Each structure stands twice: as structure tokens, then as C-alpha cells.
Amino acid sequence: MDQKLIALIIGYVLDLLLGDPRWLPHPIRLFGTMIDKGERWLNKGEYRFVKGMLFSVFLCGGVYAVFFVLLLYVPWIGGLFVFYGLANSSLLQEGREVFRELDTNGLEAGRKRLSWIVGRDTSRLDGNQIRTAVFETLSENLSDGVIAPLFYYAIGGVPAMMTYKMINTLDSMIGYKKERYRLFGRFAARLDDVANYIPARLTALLMVLVTGSKRGLLYIFKYGHQHASPNSGYPEAALAGILHCRFGGPNTYDGVVVEKPYIGDHPRFIFEKELIKVMYINHAVTFLMVIVIILLRLFIKI
């Protein structure tokens, strides 16, 4: 078996076993520090869009170059960075923690824990809205945090995977529509939209495949494009169809109510036990994607 497949399997198994221990140094934290310092230095004065674009290109190109050279001289380290590039186990752990806090310590504890993983105001959410928000986040981040990194690993190995992680981190930090980032982060936001176009739709289809849900497939085409994001709506629509529930609707961000379209047509109570099914979907989709990459590598030599 070649080095690329060995690294993929090692990284996948490490993610299953370890998740994302907070004590472990992580390259994404370094990415975040670089973005924060660069934004504070450059996001002022004139030509903010141009500066933001060049800054994003510089960081992404730099990440690709660094990892390309690193893998040339230290090829055995690839598995470690595949592990760093995947976020499925840590994502599911965060979802479990929100459910646990809500069930054990009540509404306020659930709201507080949910605020760790979503950008919306959680202070007025009821229990059902908290559980719904967790499922929305798990489906969206299955694409951003798992399938997209694997997709780019299949295309270009660790350098492409980590470059995608930089793109995604840029978007999460400066890709907002707030006035501060409106110009400086616009290129990063559009770059993230382009990078996630195929992975988001691929994620939705894989979710339908592992569940055999006809309604999930119908919802992808009916509701996937209605989300404010050009990509996030597809995995959310797939999960809404699989569970026969409704996502979306108005949410509050920084004190402002943002009207968002509903995804699905069946508002209902979300039961705690349904987290098990959603976790199965995430694990099954990840496993299937890994198997697909292995088969493509073995028989088509991607």
C-alpha cells in the first residue's frame, strides 16, 4: 500500500480514537493566530479588498508550499496531518456535550454549551431549538470539517488538504458581512464558497446513500439551494429529509434578528435519542468517503 493510503488510514483511525484533545498543539490554531495578526495589521486604510485578497492568497499559497516541501522530506508525517485535518470525532463530541448539558444541567447550561459551536445568540433558545441547532451544525460541519478535507486530500494529498483548512479558517474568521470585514474578508468568503461547492453536495448525497432516504434526496433538490449560504443548505436539507424535521428559520446574531428560510416542511419535537442516528450518519459518511478514496487510489491511481 502506498504512502498516501497509509497516511489516510492512520489519520482516520487517530481521529476515531483521539478526536481533538485540547492539550495537543494544532496547526489550525497557528493558522488562526496568523490570520488574526495579519488582519489587525492590514485591515485599515484604503484598498482593503485588495489587501484582503492578497493576504488570503499569500496564506493559502504559503501553506501549500510549506506542506509540499515538508512531505518531500518527511513523508511519514502525512498521517499526523490527515488526523489534524479531520474533525469528525471532535464535532460529534461537541454535539454530545450540548445534549448532555441540556439533559443533566438544564436549559441555561445547554444554551451556554451550544454557544461554543454556533454563531447565533443562544440565550433565548428553548430545548427543542437547541437540539435542532446541534443537528444543523453537525450536518453543515460534516461537509466543512470532514468531507471537504478528505475531498482535497484525494485530489492533492496533505498540501491540498491543509490549504483547504486555511481557506476554511480564513472564512470563519474574516468572511463575515460585518462592516469590519465587508471588504477585507470578501475574497476569503467567496474562496470558501468555491472550495466547498462540490464537497457540500457530495456530503448530502453520501448522507442519502448511507441511510437510503428518498425524502433526504428530495429535500436536497427542494431545499438545498434555499439556504443563505450557497453550500450549507445541501447537507442540512439532506438531514432534515432523513429525520423528517425542519431546520432554518429566524435566528439572532449580535442582537439582530436574521430571517432565514426554513429547510423542510415538518416542524416537530427533536428527541434526545435521535442524536444516535445523526452520529451514525456522520461516522458512516466519513467511513464511506475514506473507502471511496482508497478504491480510487488503488484502481484509478488518483
Side-chain angles (χ1 to χ4, degrees):
M1 190 177 294
D2 66 23
Q3 193 73 43
K4 188 174 180 180
L5 289 187
I6 293 172
L8 174 63
I9 293 169
I10 289 173
Y12 171 66
V13 172
L14 285 176
D15 180 64
L16 277 177
L17 296 176
L18 301 179
D20 185 14
R22 288 187 173 87
W23 54 265
L24 189 66
H26 202 294
I28 306 306
R29 298 192 191 108
L30 176 60
F31 290 179
T33 300
M34 294 165 63
I35 294 166
D36 180 63
K37 291 184 180 299
E39 187 272 332
R40 291 174 184 273
W41 176 44
L42 294 170
N43 190 15
K44 60 184 72 172
E46 298 181 331
Y47 310 112
R48 294 192 187 195
F49 172 77
V50 173
K51 287 189 285 187
M53 177 180 68
L54 294 177
F55 178 59
S56 298
V57 170
F58 172 77
L59 287 181
C60 293
V63 166
Y64 187 90
V66 166
F67 281 96
F68 182 83
V69 173
L70 179 64
L71 268 294
L72 283 179
Y73 290 96
V74 197
W76 56 265
I77 207 170
L80 177 63
F81 286 102
V82 173
F83 162 61
Y84 281 137
L86 295 177
N88 194 45
S89 291
S90 59
L91 173 65
L92 294 177
Q93 177 62 30
E94 291 296 334
R96 282 196 301 268
E97 286 297 320
V98 176
F99 271 62
R100 186 185 65 80
E101 286 291 326
L102 180 62
D103 180 60
T104 305
N105 298 315
L107 194 56
E108 285 301 323
R111 289 168 173 168
K112 183 177 180 180
R113 187 69 193 213
L114 177 65
S115 70
W116 292 22
I117 60 173
V118 301
R120 72 191 70 173
D121 179 7
T122 64
S123 63
R124 297 183 180 180
L125 299 183
D126 61 29
N128 200 54
Q129 289 171 321
I130 290 172
R131 286 184 287 269
T132 300
V134 170
F135 286 174
E136 290 174 353
T137 300
L138 292 182
S139 61
E140 179 182 347
N141 285 282
L142 176 59
S143 175
D144 292 356
V146 184
I147 300 306
L150 287 173
F151 176 79
Y152 286 102
Y153 182 78
I155 291 175
V158 167
M161 185 186 215
M162 299 310 293
T163 301
Y164 168 78
K165 297 298 288 188
M166 174 57 85
I167 292 171
N168 195 238
T169 308
L170 279 162
D171 179 64
S172 69
M173 293 184 66
I174 65 173
Y176 295 103
K177 295 181 180 178
K178 296 178 181 178
E179 184 58 31
R180 175 174 174 174
Y181 305 114
R182 184 176 62 86
L183 292 175
F184 188 78
R186 183 181 297 173
F187 179 83
R190 297 291 80 79
L191 184 61
D192 185 75
D193 289 343
V194 172
N196 281 297
Y197 187 87
I198 294 175
R201 289 151 180 81
L202 176 60
T203 301
L205 291 175
L206 290 174
M207 292 168 76
V208 169
L209 276 176
V210 301
T211 58
S213 173
K214 294 180 181 178
R215 188 188 304 110
L217 184 61
L218 173 64
Y219 272 34
I220 290 171
F221 292 101
K222 187 175 182 180
Y223 295 106
H225 65 283
Q226 294 187 15
H227 197 283
S229 162
N231 299 313
S232 299
Y234 288 90
E236 286 190 25
L239 186 59
I242 292 165
L243 299 179
H244 198 198
C245 66
R246 187 176 75 176
F247 295 150
N251 278 297
T252 303
Y253 297 85
D254 297 323
V256 178
V257 177
V258 178
E259 296 291 338
K260 294 185 177 182
Y262 286 105
I263 296 178
D265 55 12
H266 187 219
R268 67 169 179 84
F269 186 82
I270 300 295
F271 294 94
E272 184 178 356
K273 64 182 180 180
E274 292 180 274
L275 178 61
I276 297 173
K277 182 172 184 177
V278 175
M279 291 175 62
Y280 156 75
I281 293 170
N282 279 46
H283 278 304
V285 166
T286 304
F287 178 74
L288 180 57
M289 184 67 179
V290 169
I291 293 300
V292 168
I293 294 172
I294 290 172
L295 293 177
L296 289 174
R297 182 72 176 173
L298 289 175
F299 295 105
I300 305 181
K301 304 298 181 182
I302 61 167

